[in-house]
Amino acid sequence: FVRFEKIGTGFLKISREAFERIIAAHPEWKRDGQKHLPDDVRAQYHRFFYFADDECETGEDFTFCAAWRALGGEIWADPDAVIGHVGEKCYSGSISELMATKE
């Protein structure tokens, strides 16, 4: 495993402890949630993932990582884990493959 400063959420396995510590540190992240959600879900609804209000519009995954690290949390990833992402384009691969790519 390799420690990272920030990484995409597709690589993250987030513990309940991480969410609980972030909730305690950021009560301003509490939101009402959508009205169709059950009350018990809305009671726990928080805005954990959002784009930062900075000139780079830092992605929501990096914002989450920064919040967790500010609380002393660490981010580790298995560089050989193969993951994929489907959006406008489909991507698949591992960090170790990316690190081995030479131009």
Side-chain angles (χ1 to χ4, degrees):
F1 283 76
V2 177
R3 189 175 358 189
F4 283 82
E5 179 179 317
K6 54 191 173 190
I7 196 165
T9 52
F11 290 98
L12 296 178
K13 175 183 175 187
I14 306 170
S15 68
R16 177 181 290 271
E17 175 196 2
F19 285 116
E20 290 172 348
R21 287 181 55 196
I22 290 172
I23 287 170
H26 294 281
E28 73 278 11
W29 289 8
K30 174 72 177 91
R31 296 292 185 267
D32 291 335
Q34 298 178 10
K35 296 192 184 320
H36 72 276
L37 295 172
D39 289 343
D40 60 330
V41 172
R42 293 179 71 208
Q44 298 300 319
Y45 196 92
H46 292 77
R47 185 179 174 199
F48 293 108
F49 300 97
Y50 65 92
F51 284 86
D53 188 20
D54 60 20
E55 65 183 40
C56 297
E57 293 187 343
T58 303
E60 68 276 9
D61 40 10
F62 289 4
T63 303
F64 181 88
C65 290
W68 177 234
R69 289 183 58 247
L71 296 174
E74 295 181 340
I75 299 160
W76 293 85
D78 177 354
D80 295 322
V82 176
I83 67 166
H85 179 272
V86 178
E88 290 183 26
K89 294 184 179 182
C90 296
Y91 300 95
S92 178
S94 69
I95 296 171
S96 60
E97 291 172 342
L98 182 62
M99 292 168 55
T101 303
K102 296 180 182 179
E103 294 190 23

